[in-house]
Structures are given as C-alpha cells and as structure tokens.
Amino acid sequence: DTAVSQTPKYLVTQMGNDKSIKCEQNLGHDTMYWYKQDSKKFLKIMFSYNNKELIINETVPNRFSPKSPDKAHLNLHINSLELGDSAVYFCASSLLAGQETQYFGPGTRLLVL
Amino acid sequence: DQQVKQNSPSLSVQEGRISILNCDYTNSMFDYFLWYKKYPAEGPTFLISISSIKDKNEDGRFTVFLNKSAKHLSLHIVPSQPGDSAVYFCAAGVSGNTPLVFGKGTRLSVIA
C-alpha cells in the first residue's frame, strides 16, 4: 500500500507546454509539500500546504501553481514549460507542519525538450 | 548559500565495517536534524532524526551524533551491509512552519 504516490512517474514534453503532476497521500497527514531536485542534486522546497492552505511558497516562478482539492491531494501544475524545469519533483507529507518527519513519494522525472 | 553541507559526495566501505557520513550546517537556528536514505528511482525515506536538545540518538545499527558547538552531525552505520548502499541526505529545520533544508547527499557504497 503506497503511502505517498505521484503520477506520472516520467514526463517528457516540449518547451511551452502545460503539464500537471498529481500527488496523493493515504497517511491521514495534514501537511503536504512539493520539492524539486535539480541537476546539482539539491532537494529544494517549493510549496507546502497545511489542511489545503498554502503555508510555504519559496521563490518559485508563478508558472508553477499548486492546487490542493483536499488534504490528501496536492497537485502541481506547470505552465509554459522551460528547459530549466527539467528535474525530479518529489511530493511529501507530514502529520503536522513544523518539526515532523516527512514521507516522500517516488518522484516524477520531468524532461523538457 | 548552502546552509547544510555534505562535503563528501561518495564513500566506499567494506561490509561489516563502520560507515560514517558527515554533515555540517551554518544556521544556528536549526533545532532538529534528520537523515534520509534514497535508492535510485525512489523517493527519500526517513532514517533517523535528532533534536538539538540531544547529542546522540540510536536506532539499531544507526546512530546520529550532534555537535552543536561545531555545527556538525554525523550518521554512523555499524555494521554496514550491502543493502545500505544508497544516497544519504542530511536535512535540518527550525521548529514551526519552516521548510527543511537538505544537503546534497553522500553516495554510500558498501562492498561485500
């Protein structure tokens, strides 16, 4: 039983397209996150939602728009994809915001051509 | 500006010996620290954590040591097993609604 799942696992697309990545957690957690792991291998927080409310929004282009229809889901929509968006995107969740262990999904490997 | 640094990109250890992975941080506000383990094509999985009020936390073969004055933490794995071969990420955070900051990771190879 997958705790944090993401779809799709791989995504290859052309520059300028719009794409979405979906994330679902079945852990009953209140907080969900999106991270980006770039070519330099750093894992960087992009967004955090607590009970469907945005609580962290790091310096991310506004082409990236997270949407949380309920606290078990946090989707990431990306408009006008650019080459530099190529990365692995990880979704994560934690019971609460703050000092809590985060559980990660398997990642979505996005390649923009 | 890297607030969390893992200066060794890779480490090779013989099976049965001790693996020591190091992590340095610059932000003195960090009050909890975590280690994650990542296999290829999978997400990071939580391994062990430590709060700044402690200097050691042990869980089976894994022990994390925290030296606040040196702003340094380390993960000890003993005895190392081939299944421990993975990338290990150090992460640090400040209590409250602040994001975790991750290091770049150290790739551990345990040789049989």
Side-chain angles (χ1 to χ4, degrees):
Chain A
D1 225 8
T2 308
V4 182
S5 58
Q6 294 178 229
T7 51
K9 199 161 184 182
Y10 299 95
L11 186 53
V12 182
T13 189
Q14 299 285 336
M15 258 189 346
N17 283 350
D18 302 339
K19 290 292 177 188
S20 291
I21 308 172
K22 295 186 175 182
C23 178
E24 177 181 1
Q25 53 95 3
N26 63 8
L27 297 167
H29 287 169
D30 280 354
T31 307
M32 296 185 73
Y33 310 82
W34 276 109
Y35 285 86
K36 178 181 180 180
Q37 185 180 30
D38 59 22
S39 57
K40 294 181 181 174
K41 304 300 181 188
F42 281 107
L43 260 171
K44 289 184 183 171
I45 185 78
M46 298 173 71
F47 301 102
S48 173
Y49 269 72
N50 186 53
N51 263 322
K52 303 192 297 174
E53 299 289 328
L54 179 67
I55 56 171
I56 292 172
N57 183 354
E58 293 294 298
T59 310
V60 175
N62 56 15
R63 298 182 294 105
F64 290 78
S65 51
K67 284 189 172 49
S68 183
D70 54 62
K71 70 177 194 177
H73 295 85
L74 181 61
N75 303 323
L76 184 65
H77 189 76
I78 316 170
N79 287 330
S80 304
L81 277 154
E82 299 178 359
L83 294 176
D85 297 332
S86 297
V88 184
Y89 292 84
F90 289 100
C91 176
S93 73
S94 62
L95 184 60
L96 300 167
Q99 196 178 108
E100 289 287 339
T101 300
Q102 294 178 22
Y103 296 84
F104 284 79
T108 296
R109 283 139 194 87
L110 171 64
L111 178 60
V112 182
L113 302 174
Chain B
D1 178 31
Q2 293 179 51
Q3 296 187 68
V4 177
K5 297 179 190 179
Q6 293 177 257
N7 291 320
S8 298
S10 63
L11 175 68
S12 283
V13 171
Q14 205 82 30
E15 182 180 6
R17 307 293 291 266
I18 185 169
S19 296
I20 301 176
L21 296 104
N22 293 304
C23 178
D24 296 295
Y25 61 95
T26 57
N27 188 344
S28 55
M29 297 295 291
F30 288 143
D31 59 4
Y32 71 107
F33 305 87
L34 308 93
W35 284 95
Y36 282 82
K37 175 180 177 179
K38 185 183 179 304
Y39 292 118
E42 294 183 14
T45 54
F46 170 73
L47 198 54
I48 193 169
S49 64
I50 188 166
S51 162
S52 59
I53 61 172
K54 292 186 167 184
D55 53 20
K56 178 182 172 181
N57 189 23
E58 196 170 345
D59 184 2
R61 296 185 298 114
F62 303 91
T63 304
V64 56
F65 294 92
L66 175 63
N67 182 335
K68 288 187 289 293
S69 59
K71 295 194 181 72
H72 177 83
L73 66 155
S74 60
L75 174 68
H76 292 211
I77 307 172
V78 55
S80 301
Q81 298 172 355
D84 296 330
S85 297
V87 176
Y88 289 79
F89 289 96
C90 169
V94 180
S95 301
N97 290 347
T98 55
L100 283 179
V101 180
F102 283 80
K104 208 170 169 178
T106 296
R107 181 177 300 280
L108 173 66
S109 300
V110 179
I111 305 156

mmCIF file of all heavy atoms in Angstrom, chain B residues 52-83:
data_model
loop_
_atom_site.group_PDB
_atom_site.id
_atom_site.type_symbol
_atom_site.label_atom_id
_atom_site.label_comp_id
_atom_site.label_asym_id
_atom_site.label_seq_id
_atom_site.Cartn_x
_atom_site.Cartn_y
_atom_site.Cartn_z
ATOM 1 N N SER B 52 17.866 19.177 18.827
ATOM 2 C CA SER B 52 19.046 19.892 19.304
ATOM 3 C C SER B 52 19.255 19.776 20.818
ATOM 4 O O SER B 52 20.303 20.151 21.336
ATOM 5 C CB SER B 52 18.978 21.372 18.918
ATOM 6 O OG SER B 52 17.829 21.965 19.475
ATOM 7 N N ILE B 53 18.262 19.235 21.539
ATOM 8 C CA ILE B 53 18.449 19.073 22.981
ATOM 9 C C ILE B 53 19.238 17.802 23.301
ATOM 10 O O ILE B 53 19.607 17.558 24.450
ATOM 11 C CB ILE B 53 17.107 19.063 23.742
ATOM 12 C CG1 ILE B 53 16.222 17.897 23.285
ATOM 13 C CG2 ILE B 53 16.386 20.390 23.564
ATOM 14 C CD1 ILE B 53 14.970 17.731 24.138
ATOM 15 N N LYS B 54 19.474 16.982 22.272
ATOM 16 C CA LYS B 54 20.231 15.749 22.458
ATOM 17 C C LYS B 54 21.558 15.838 21.716
ATOM 18 O O LYS B 54 21.718 16.655 20.804
ATOM 19 C CB LYS B 54 19.441 14.559 21.917
ATOM 20 C CG LYS B 54 18.192 14.218 22.687
ATOM 21 C CD LYS B 54 17.605 12.939 22.122
ATOM 22 C CE LYS B 54 16.542 12.381 23.027
ATOM 23 N NZ LYS B 54 16.033 11.089 22.543
ATOM 24 N N ASP B 55 22.491 14.961 22.088
ATOM 25 C CA ASP B 55 23.705 14.891 21.285
ATOM 26 C C ASP B 55 23.886 13.521 20.627
ATOM 27 O O ASP B 55 24.835 13.317 19.870
ATOM 28 C CB ASP B 55 24.949 15.264 22.110
ATOM 29 C CG ASP B 55 25.061 14.461 23.384
ATOM 30 O OD1 ASP B 55 24.437 13.387 23.467
ATOM 31 O OD2 ASP B 55 25.772 14.903 24.304
ATOM 32 N N LYS B 56 22.952 12.617 20.911
ATOM 33 C CA LYS B 56 23.056 11.284 20.317
ATOM 34 C C LYS B 56 21.670 10.665 20.250
ATOM 35 O O LYS B 56 20.861 10.800 21.175
ATOM 36 C CB LYS B 56 23.977 10.430 21.186
ATOM 37 C CG LYS B 56 24.156 8.988 20.733
ATOM 38 C CD LYS B 56 25.051 8.233 21.705
ATOM 39 C CE LYS B 56 25.101 6.744 21.400
ATOM 40 N NZ LYS B 56 25.942 6.002 22.362
ATOM 41 N N ASN B 57 21.422 9.965 19.155
ATOM 42 C CA ASN B 57 20.199 9.185 19.048
ATOM 43 C C ASN B 57 20.520 7.907 18.296
ATOM 44 O O ASN B 57 21.198 7.934 17.268
ATOM 45 C CB ASN B 57 19.101 9.963 18.305
ATOM 46 C CG ASN B 57 17.758 9.253 18.376
ATOM 47 O OD1 ASN B 57 17.514 8.461 19.280
ATOM 48 N ND2 ASN B 57 16.895 9.518 17.415
ATOM 49 N N GLU B 58 20.049 6.792 18.847
ATOM 50 C CA GLU B 58 20.424 5.493 18.310
ATOM 51 C C GLU B 58 19.183 4.712 17.905
ATOM 52 O O GLU B 58 18.173 4.716 18.608
ATOM 53 C CB GLU B 58 21.175 4.714 19.409
ATOM 54 C CG GLU B 58 21.966 3.530 18.950
ATOM 55 C CD GLU B 58 22.852 2.982 20.066
ATOM 56 O OE1 GLU B 58 23.045 3.681 21.075
ATOM 57 O OE2 GLU B 58 23.339 1.859 19.912
ATOM 58 N N ASP B 59 19.264 4.027 16.773
ATOM 59 C CA ASP B 59 18.169 3.166 16.332
ATOM 60 C C ASP B 59 18.772 1.973 15.607
ATOM 61 O O ASP B 59 19.114 2.061 14.427
ATOM 62 C CB ASP B 59 17.220 3.944 15.406
ATOM 63 C CG ASP B 59 16.017 3.117 14.987
ATOM 64 O OD1 ASP B 59 15.881 1.956 15.430
ATOM 65 O OD2 ASP B 59 15.190 3.624 14.206
ATOM 66 N N GLY B 60 18.937 0.897 16.348
ATOM 67 C CA GLY B 60 19.523 -0.301 15.745
ATOM 68 C C GLY B 60 20.955 -0.051 15.303
ATOM 69 O O GLY B 60 21.800 0.371 16.100
ATOM 70 N N ARG B 61 21.218 -0.290 14.034
ATOM 71 C CA ARG B 61 22.585 -0.108 13.527
ATOM 72 C C ARG B 61 22.922 1.357 13.240
ATOM 73 O O ARG B 61 24.058 1.668 12.868
ATOM 74 C CB ARG B 61 22.749 -0.915 12.225
ATOM 75 C CG ARG B 61 22.619 -2.425 12.389
ATOM 76 C CD ARG B 61 22.903 -3.171 11.091
ATOM 77 N NE ARG B 61 21.960 -2.819 10.025
ATOM 78 C CZ ARG B 61 22.313 -2.183 8.917
ATOM 79 N NH1 ARG B 61 23.567 -1.808 8.717
ATOM 80 N NH2 ARG B 61 21.405 -1.915 7.991
ATOM 81 N N PHE B 62 21.953 2.227 13.368
ATOM 82 C CA PHE B 62 22.127 3.633 13.003
ATOM 83 C C PHE B 62 22.194 4.523 14.240
ATOM 84 O O PHE B 62 21.354 4.429 15.126
ATOM 85 C CB PHE B 62 20.965 4.092 12.109
ATOM 86 C CG PHE B 62 20.814 3.270 10.854
ATOM 87 C CD1 PHE B 62 19.987 2.160 10.827
ATOM 88 C CD2 PHE B 62 21.513 3.602 9.709
ATOM 89 C CE1 PHE B 62 19.860 1.389 9.680
ATOM 90 C CE2 PHE B 62 21.390 2.837 8.551
ATOM 91 C CZ PHE B 62 20.568 1.732 8.541
ATOM 92 N N THR B 63 23.218 5.377 14.281
ATOM 93 C CA THR B 63 23.368 6.342 15.372
ATOM 94 C C THR B 63 23.684 7.693 14.765
ATOM 95 O O THR B 63 24.544 7.793 13.886
ATOM 96 C CB THR B 63 24.503 5.931 16.327
ATOM 97 O OG1 THR B 63 24.255 4.606 16.814
ATOM 98 C CG2 THR B 63 24.577 6.889 17.511
ATOM 99 N N VAL B 64 22.978 8.703 15.236
ATOM 100 C CA VAL B 64 23.287 10.063 14.799
ATOM 101 C C VAL B 64 23.881 10.816 15.980
ATOM 102 O O VAL B 64 23.380 10.735 17.108
ATOM 103 C CB VAL B 64 22.044 10.773 14.199
ATOM 104 C CG1 VAL B 64 20.875 10.796 15.161
ATOM 105 C CG2 VAL B 64 22.391 12.170 13.750
ATOM 106 N N PHE B 65 24.957 11.511 15.720
ATOM 107 C CA PHE B 65 25.641 12.330 16.727
ATOM 108 C C PHE B 65 25.518 13.789 16.318
ATOM 109 O O PHE B 65 25.689 14.130 15.140
ATOM 110 C CB PHE B 65 27.131 11.953 16.810
ATOM 111 C CG PHE B 65 27.386 10.570 17.322
ATOM 112 C CD1 PHE B 65 27.511 9.501 16.434
ATOM 113 C CD2 PHE B 65 27.503 10.325 18.685
ATOM 114 C CE1 PHE B 65 27.751 8.212 16.895
ATOM 115 C CE2 PHE B 65 27.747 9.036 19.154
ATOM 116 C CZ PHE B 65 27.865 7.981 18.262
ATOM 117 N N LEU B 66 25.250 14.638 17.302
ATOM 118 C CA LEU B 66 25.133 16.067 17.026
ATOM 119 C C LEU B 66 26.127 16.831 17.892
ATOM 120 O O LEU B 66 26.129 16.687 19.121
ATOM 121 C CB LEU B 66 23.702 16.544 17.313
ATOM 122 C CG LEU B 66 23.447 18.047 17.177
ATOM 123 C CD1 LEU B 66 23.683 18.523 15.743
ATOM 124 C CD2 LEU B 66 22.015 18.384 17.617
ATOM 125 N N ASN B 67 26.927 17.664 17.259
ATOM 126 C CA ASN B 67 27.866 18.535 17.960
ATOM 127 C C ASN B 67 27.456 19.968 17.631
ATOM 128 O O ASN B 67 27.820 20.513 16.588
ATOM 129 C CB ASN B 67 29.306 18.246 17.495
ATOM 130 C CG ASN B 67 30.322 19.089 18.221
ATOM 131 O OD1 ASN B 67 30.016 20.180 18.715
ATOM 132 N ND2 ASN B 67 31.551 18.612 18.296
ATOM 133 N N LYS B 68 26.677 20.559 18.541
ATOM 134 C CA LYS B 68 26.114 21.885 18.256
ATOM 135 C C LYS B 68 27.185 22.957 18.177
ATOM 136 O O LYS B 68 27.089 23.884 17.379
ATOM 137 C CB LYS B 68 25.064 22.257 19.305
ATOM 138 C CG LYS B 68 23.774 21.464 19.173
ATOM 139 C CD LYS B 68 22.701 21.978 20.114
ATOM 140 C CE LYS B 68 22.999 21.649 21.557
ATOM 141 N NZ LYS B 68 22.929 20.188 21.841
ATOM 142 N N SER B 69 28.187 22.858 19.012
ATOM 143 C CA SER B 69 29.214 23.908 19.013
ATOM 144 C C SER B 69 29.978 23.918 17.691
ATOM 145 O O SER B 69 30.379 24.968 17.198
ATOM 146 C CB SER B 69 30.171 23.733 20.188
ATOM 147 O OG SER B 69 30.798 22.474 20.119
ATOM 148 N N ALA B 70 30.141 22.735 17.110
ATOM 149 C CA ALA B 70 30.837 22.643 15.826
ATOM 150 C C ALA B 70 29.868 22.725 14.650
ATOM 151 O O ALA B 70 30.300 22.729 13.493
ATOM 152 C CB ALA B 70 31.619 21.331 15.746
ATOM 153 N N LYS B 71 28.578 22.752 14.951
ATOM 154 C CA LYS B 71 27.540 22.738 13.910
ATOM 155 C C LYS B 71 27.777 21.557 12.958
ATOM 156 O O LYS B 71 27.858 21.701 11.723
ATOM 157 C CB LYS B 71 27.477 24.051 13.136
ATOM 158 C CG LYS B 71 27.056 25.258 13.963
ATOM 159 C CD LYS B 71 26.686 26.426 13.049
ATOM 160 C CE LYS B 71 26.278 27.637 13.841
ATOM 161 N NZ LYS B 71 27.410 28.294 14.518
ATOM 162 N N HIS B 72 27.877 20.405 13.566
ATOM 163 C CA HIS B 72 28.235 19.205 12.817
ATOM 164 C C HIS B 72 27.409 18.035 13.310
ATOM 165 O O HIS B 72 27.187 17.879 14.515
ATOM 166 C CB HIS B 72 29.722 18.909 13.026
ATOM 167 C CG HIS B 72 30.189 17.662 12.364
ATOM 168 N ND1 HIS B 72 30.552 17.602 11.036
ATOM 169 C CD2 HIS B 72 30.334 16.397 12.845
ATOM 170 C CE1 HIS B 72 30.901 16.362 10.727
ATOM 171 N NE2 HIS B 72 30.782 15.617 11.806
ATOM 172 N N LEU B 73 26.930 17.237 12.367
ATOM 173 C CA LEU B 73 26.323 15.978 12.760
ATOM 174 C C LEU B 73 26.843 14.854 11.881
ATOM 175 O O LEU B 73 27.359 15.104 10.782
ATOM 176 C CB LEU B 73 24.784 16.018 12.749
ATOM 177 C CG LEU B 73 24.005 16.186 11.471
ATOM 178 C CD1 LEU B 73 22.623 15.578 11.652
ATOM 179 C CD2 LEU B 73 23.836 17.649 11.140
ATOM 180 N N SER B 74 26.762 13.668 12.427
ATOM 181 C CA SER B 74 27.249 12.518 11.678
ATOM 182 C C SER B 74 26.297 11.349 11.876
ATOM 183 O O SER B 74 25.600 11.254 12.892
ATOM 184 C CB SER B 74 28.667 12.143 12.098
ATOM 185 O OG SER B 74 28.702 11.820 13.466
ATOM 186 N N LEU B 75 26.282 10.501 10.883
ATOM 187 C CA LEU B 75 25.490 9.273 10.915
ATOM 188 C C LEU B 75 26.462 8.101 10.889
ATOM 189 O O LEU B 75 27.303 8.020 9.993
ATOM 190 C CB LEU B 75 24.553 9.200 9.712
ATOM 191 C CG LEU B 75 23.758 7.899 9.553
ATOM 192 C CD1 LEU B 75 22.725 7.757 10.664
ATOM 193 C CD2 LEU B 75 23.075 7.845 8.182
ATOM 194 N N HIS B 76 26.349 7.243 11.888
ATOM 195 C CA HIS B 76 27.181 6.051 11.953
ATOM 196 C C HIS B 76 26.320 4.836 11.655
ATOM 197 O O HIS B 76 25.240 4.689 12.243
ATOM 198 C CB HIS B 76 27.817 5.900 13.342
ATOM 199 C CG HIS B 76 28.829 6.947 13.647
ATOM 200 N ND1 HIS B 76 29.911 6.708 14.469
ATOM 201 C CD2 HIS B 76 28.950 8.235 13.242
ATOM 202 C CE1 HIS B 76 30.638 7.810 14.561
ATOM 203 N NE2 HIS B 76 30.070 8.751 13.825
ATOM 204 N N ILE B 77 26.800 3.999 10.779
ATOM 205 C CA ILE B 77 26.109 2.748 10.468
ATOM 206 C C ILE B 77 27.083 1.624 10.788
ATOM 207 O O ILE B 77 28.163 1.535 10.205
ATOM 208 C CB ILE B 77 25.717 2.677 8.974
ATOM 209 C CG1 ILE B 77 24.931 3.917 8.550
ATOM 210 C CG2 ILE B 77 24.890 1.409 8.705
ATOM 211 C CD1 ILE B 77 24.672 3.995 7.044
ATOM 212 N N VAL B 78 26.666 0.771 11.743
ATOM 213 C CA VAL B 78 27.575 -0.327 12.085
ATOM 214 C C VAL B 78 26.779 -1.549 12.523
ATOM 215 O O VAL B 78 25.875 -1.413 13.360
ATOM 216 C CB VAL B 78 28.597 0.112 13.166
ATOM 217 C CG1 VAL B 78 27.911 0.660 14.402
ATOM 218 C CG2 VAL B 78 29.526 -1.015 13.554
ATOM 219 N N PRO B 79 27.044 -2.729 11.983
ATOM 220 C CA PRO B 79 27.936 -2.959 10.854
ATOM 221 C C PRO B 79 27.271 -2.583 9.532
ATOM 222 O O PRO B 79 26.050 -2.712 9.388
ATOM 223 C CB PRO B 79 28.179 -4.470 10.919
ATOM 224 C CG PRO B 79 26.914 -5.017 11.488
ATOM 225 C CD PRO B 79 26.401 -3.974 12.454
ATOM 226 N N SER B 80 28.041 -2.133 8.589
ATOM 227 C CA SER B 80 27.497 -1.773 7.274
ATOM 228 C C SER B 80 27.149 -3.025 6.497
ATOM 229 O O SER B 80 27.851 -4.040 6.578
ATOM 230 C CB SER B 80 28.531 -0.948 6.486
ATOM 231 O OG SER B 80 28.873 0.214 7.198
ATOM 232 N N GLN B 81 26.045 -2.921 5.742
ATOM 233 C CA GLN B 81 25.587 -4.052 4.947
ATOM 234 C C GLN B 81 25.423 -3.599 3.485
ATOM 235 O O GLN B 81 25.165 -2.418 3.238
ATOM 236 C CB GLN B 81 24.238 -4.556 5.474
ATOM 237 C CG GLN B 81 24.285 -5.069 6.894
ATOM 238 C CD GLN B 81 22.910 -5.383 7.454
ATOM 239 O OE1 GLN B 81 21.893 -5.129 6.812
ATOM 240 N NE2 GLN B 81 22.899 -5.950 8.650
ATOM 241 N N PRO B 82 25.531 -4.519 2.537
ATOM 242 C CA PRO B 82 25.383 -4.128 1.125
ATOM 243 C C PRO B 82 24.066 -3.397 0.847
ATOM 244 O O PRO B 82 24.017 -2.482 0.029
ATOM 245 C CB PRO B 82 25.459 -5.463 0.379
ATOM 246 C CG PRO B 82 26.323 -6.315 1.250
ATOM 247 C CD PRO B 82 25.968 -5.926 2.668
ATOM 248 N N GLY B 83 23.004 -3.766 1.563
ATOM 249 C CA GLY B 83 21.707 -3.106 1.372
ATOM 250 C C GLY B 83 21.684 -1.661 1.840
ATOM 251 O O GLY B 83 20.734 -0.930 1.568
#
